[in-house]
Amino acid sequence: MIDEKNGVANAPKEGTVATENMQKASSRRKFLGQVGVAAGLAAGTLAAPITSAAQSESSHVATPAAPSGVNSPRIAEAFALRVSEATTDALLGPARNTNNGDINRYADHGGTYTKGLAHDQYGRVTTQSYQSFTHALNTGKASAFEEIVMGGTRTLNGPQGSYAFDLDVPDNSQFGQPQVPPAPPIASAQSGTELLEHYWGALLRDVSFVDYASNPLAQAAAAELGSQPTYLGPRASGGQVTPDLLFRGTFPGETLGPYLSQLFVIPTAFGSQPLSQQQTTLAPNVDYGTDFGEWLDIQNGVNTGRPLQFDSQQRWRRNGRDLGAYTHLDVLYQAYFTALLTLGTIGAPLNPGNPYVHSTTENGFGTFGGPDFSACLGEIATKALNAVWYQKWLVHLRPRPEATGGQVHLVKTGQGAFTDVKPHATILNSVGLQTSFNKYGTWLLPLAFPEGSPYHPAYPTGHGAVGGACITMLKFFYDGSFVIPEPVVPSSDGLSLLPYTGSDANQLTVNGELNKLGHNVSFGHGTHAGIHWRSDSDTSLLLGEAVALAYLKNKARTYNEPFTIHLTKFDGTIATISNHGNP
């Protein structure tokens, strides 16, 4: 069933043990334990890409008859809707998908996520701990997860969420390629470049975004990253990376205006409660994990005893440390709920396809109105989170950047014999790595938090998937072409908001600032904090968008109102959601 050479999970052939097990399975959980997850560990068995949310009603299956004893036409109609949507989703089927093959590439499992498990003195996972870990993932049994041999007191972050069912969108296993391709192999040039970006991000953690243009470190970072063919961030028209483009995304509108999205800084209100968008942030120049003993404790899940140190002054977000501090404690969809409030504050119009835009007799409320908007953000966040958890735990198991930083340290200190992973020369011979060593005295990646990254695999990101889903919902509800009035930018010290007067001030649209917000949050929880690769964030935003579009396709048929709504996806193409309704 598994081609270990290229990391592909092939569909089981008739007559194989896998097929017999599938036929015997009485539930999806049993199926996953016998076939799907075992394949996922070596390659990843995912499903059909969900790239378009709009389906005409004629594409749905025939209306099923209601169960015997159901006499209410309304209940029968509700039953028929649920069954037809579930059937349509099921017919999407699973897709053949791949991971990058690192799971089987290294005898010491150095290309696989093992954080929180037991490691030896060089950071290599122990055989007993790794076997207990993979046994739990292969079986999916709750009891097996309780028997994992851990390295310390910290616990794994919700791996059983990857097995959760959902009644409103296709199954977690049905989201995959093209939104979630294999992650870059850990020893590849791209991973080397992405790790280099982390080292520069750590060095620039306390530099305000508005100061990048004049900051020598930012200039050096831009020059070195721009020289890498595998750097996938935005570039200027001549192909170079300028300091102003550092740590930005590539979706439409993201390179316009200030680094921070207007939806992340404009004051708003939560009902009658003012919401300034200032925050409590972390004290500058305090980083973690740069001592090998402390790094090893972090990998084992041992509490290092070093608490977070906070800044006593509230500030508007103005640098990478502030973004990391925000995402370290946020409610997962918090930035997007605040964006919803901010869109109301600035008077952003509804999506032109909203059926109540031109009504003179009624307005939206529980459908196509405020309560619908706000509730959908929380609802889609959970669906996107479970979809990305499936990818993390049952398909890719990509290690965290800090783990690879440990392998860099071993190689650079002459201990390369104690790791099977040899990081790419892109990082080993870089200016950024040497500059970090000159500051910290080790080759380890400086981390923003005492525990380093969360205790779940890197690829893709939870923050990014939730962001992609919530952003798509906000585009469904609001007019994405609306230009943000009177844009602002935080001062260098974060103590005030200043008018933004750049030449592109009149080009900052709702869609562009939503796209920017997604990367502000996911890079704040990633590149700026040292815990997620750039490709984790890029991929997860697309995954979240796919989940939201699938959700909207199903949700559209629950509305009574006829409507046709267009929204612009991250790639600039248009998705259409429509429903005949009850005209």
Side-chain angles (χ1 to χ4, degrees):
M1 181 175 64
I2 299 169
D3 180 352
E4 295 188 354
K5 182 177 180 181
N6 59 23
V8 176
N10 299 308
K13 298 178 181 179
E14 292 185 5
T16 65
V17 174
T19 302
E20 294 172 1
N21 285 342
M22 290 169 64
Q23 293 170 342
K24 294 176 182 177
S26 61
S27 70
R28 189 189 71 141
R29 288 188 177 90
K30 187 178 293 184
F31 163 72
L32 286 172
Q34 295 170 341
V35 182
V37 181
L41 280 174
T45 302
L46 294 188
I50 310 295
T51 56
S52 175
Q55 292 189 9
S56 65
E57 295 200 40
S58 62
S59 68
H60 290 269
V61 297
T63 302
S68 176
V70 175
N71 300 317
S72 165
R74 166 81 184 188
I75 295 175
E77 185 177 1
F79 170 81
L81 176 61
R82 288 189 180 191
V83 172
S84 66
E85 287 297 330
T87 304
T88 300
D89 287 345
L91 290 174
L92 291 170
R96 180 177 179 270
N97 219 332
T98 61
N99 65 31
N100 63 21
D102 278 352
I103 291 171
N104 294 317
R105 187 167 286 128
Y106 302 105
D108 67 354
H109 312 297
T112 304
Y113 172 85
T114 60
K115 185 174 181 180
L117 305 182
H119 297 78
D120 69 13
Q121 61 183 320
Y122 299 104
R124 299 173 298 192
V125 66
T126 67
T127 299
Q128 181 186 20
S129 185
Y130 187 76
Q131 288 179 347
S132 68
F133 174 61
T134 55
H135 174 69
L137 292 177
N138 276 325
T139 64
K141 291 182 174 293
S143 56
F145 282 98
E146 294 299 315
E147 295 170 355
I148 295 175
V149 177
M150 303 296 289
T153 58
R154 294 191 182 274
T155 53
L156 299 176
N157 192 351
Q160 291 190 60
S162 54
Y163 298 90
F165 289 107
D166 195 284
L167 300 181
D168 295 316
V169 294
D171 184 66
N172 296 338
S173 66
Q174 293 181 276
F175 295 94
Q177 293 181 331
Q179 289 85 8
V180 189
I186 201 63
S188 67
Q190 185 176 335
S191 285
T193 299
E194 291 188 20
L195 188 57
L196 173 59
E197 187 175 20
H198 276 92
Y199 279 89
W200 281 118
L203 289 165
L204 290 165
R205 198 167 280 155
D206 294 307
V207 177
S208 294
F209 300 123
V210 295
D211 295 333
Y212 272 18
S214 60
N215 183 272
L217 279 177
Q219 293 167 357
E224 183 167 46
L225 290 171
S227 70
Q228 305 300 323
T230 47
Y231 177 68
L232 300 183
R235 297 174 183 264
S237 57
Q240 74 274 23
V241 176
T242 62
D244 184 59
L245 293 176
L246 288 173
F247 315 125
R248 294 200 189 218
T250 59
F251 297 143
E254 290 203 65
T255 59
L256 297 174
Y259 180 84
L260 289 168
S261 170
Q262 294 300 298
L263 303 175
F264 219 15
V265 295
I266 293 175
T268 183
F270 187 12
S272 61
Q273 300 176 27
L275 185 61
S276 72
Q277 296 235 49
Q278 292 172 297
Q279 69 168 70
T280 298
T281 188
L282 298 173
N285 301 311
V286 181
D287 297 306
Y288 305 88
T290 55
D291 170 81
F292 194 81
E294 183 176 78
W295 174 87
L296 187 59
D297 281 345
I298 291 171
Q299 303 316 300
N300 280 321
V302 174
N303 191 328
T304 65
R306 294 184 63 196
L308 283 170
Q309 297 182 37
F310 292 94
D311 185 345
S312 60
Q313 174 69 57
Q314 289 193 344
R315 302 175 191 271
W316 278 278
R317 302 166 198 106
R318 87 289 192 190
N319 60 27
R321 194 176 299 277
D322 292 350
L323 293 184
Y326 177 88
T327 60
H328 193 238
L329 297 175
D330 64 330
V331 177
L332 207 51
Y333 63 97
Q334 180 177 338
Y336 309 102
F337 185 81
T338 305
L340 169 71
L341 302 177
T342 305
L343 290 170
T345 296
I346 65 175
L350 298 178
N351 189 301
N354 186 301
Y356 295 108
V357 166
H358 301 294
S359 177
T360 60
T361 61
E362 55 180 337
N363 59 268
F365 196 63
T367 57
F368 291 105
D372 190 17
F373 300 173
S374 57
C376 279
L377 290 180
E379 186 173 9
I380 197 62
T382 300
K383 300 177 189 306
L385 189 64
N386 287 339
V388 76
W389 246 236
Y390 180 94
Q391 297 282 334
K392 282 176 175 289
W393 291 103
L394 305 185
V395 181
H396 299 285
L397 285 175
R398 189 183 193 183
R400 293 284 183 165
E402 69 195 46
T404 311
Q407 293 157 349
V408 167
H409 179 82
L410 290 173
V411 171
K412 294 292 284 187
T413 55
Q415 302 177 83
F418 300 107
T419 172
D420 290 344
V421 175
K422 300 300 185 287
H424 197 270
T426 298
I427 180 63
L428 292 176
N429 302 328
S430 65
V431 174
L433 179 62
Q434 183 64 55
T435 306
S436 181
F437 176 82
N438 293 344
K439 179 177 180 179
Y440 294 98
T442 68
W443 307 99
L444 298 163
L445 177 64
L447 304 171
F449 314 131
E451 75 282 8
S453 67
Y455 286 78
H456 52 84
Y459 185 79
T461 84
H463 272 83
V466 168
C470 289
I471 286 167
T472 303
M473 297 303 299
L474 290 171
K475 290 177 179 178
F476 178 76
F477 292 128
Y478 284 94
D479 184 352
S481 65
F482 179 70
V483 175
I484 308 292
E486 301 179 354
V488 294
V489 59
S491 61
S492 180
D493 60 8
L495 296 180
S496 61
L497 290 179
L498 307 173
Y500 176 69
T501 57
S503 60
D504 54 4
N506 63 348
Q507 300 177 49
L508 308 184
T509 64
V510 167
N511 275 351
E513 296 303 289
L514 282 171
N515 292 347
K516 189 187 294 181
L517 179 63
H519 271 118
N520 283 168
V521 173
S522 60
F523 284 167
H525 197 60
T527 305
H528 292 296
I531 63 179
H532 268 297
W533 311 85
R534 172 179 280 269
S535 52
D536 296 349
S537 294
D538 291 347
T539 297
S540 62
L541 288 162
L542 296 175
L543 172 61
E545 179 183 68
V547 173
L549 291 175
Y551 170 77
L552 285 168
K553 183 270 297 181
N554 285 346
K555 182 177 176 62
R557 297 188 71 215
T558 70
Y559 287 114
N560 188 66
E561 303 91 334
F563 69 91
T564 296
I565 284 178
H566 306 290
L567 63 89
T568 304
K569 297 168 59 179
F570 287 128
D571 65 2
T573 62
I574 304 298
T576 300
I577 315 294
S578 63
N579 180 37
H580 294 162
N582 184 14

